[in-house]
Amino acid sequence: YALRKDGKFIQTFSERNLVGDPASLGNHWTPNCVSAARHLGGKSKYSTFAFLAGALQDGCKDSLNSLKGTGVQIDFIRGTDRKQTRRPKSYFWKRKSSDKSAGAEAELVKQETVEEYIERNGNRGGTSMIGGRISLAWEDPKGYARELIKLINY
């Protein structure tokens, strides 16, 4: 589905949900995602496309649980672009089922984020802020590289 029309869905989804400024995607974003998705007969592990395709929706709770009590700290690199007030459509938020016979509407329930879980798990490290919204390595490659090098050299 995501590959039809040469990745039009990927482009639209990315513009709406992954970046603060659609111009930051440039001309290579969608062709890279489509190419990577077709690589190895569609079995590519290209992280951005895997996210777009929902491959990361299964979670990593077991892996994170195995780190509990080990002293391993998990750091985050986050984007400063918060201009978009419209929350992206996401599989991470679900609606509670409601009793429609009583006229009640579905209530939006926010699930715990990975960052919140890691905080509660005792593995929370630091946070670095750079430009961008979600696709930080693409939106602010210099800032991302700088902060990643700091984490690696730590």
Side-chain angles (χ1 to χ4, degrees), residues 60-61 63-65 67-69 72-76 112-127:
C60 52
K61 204 171 200 175
S63 298
L64 293 174
N65 279 337
L67 296 174
K68 190 172 186 172
V72 171
Q73 296 293 295
I74 299 172
D75 296 302
F76 291 87
E112 186 174 43
T113 66
V114 170
E115 192 170 0
E116 292 165 344
Y117 183 84
I118 289 170
E119 174 92 36
R120 191 171 52 77
N121 205 23
N123 297 105
R124 183 76 163 83
T127 299

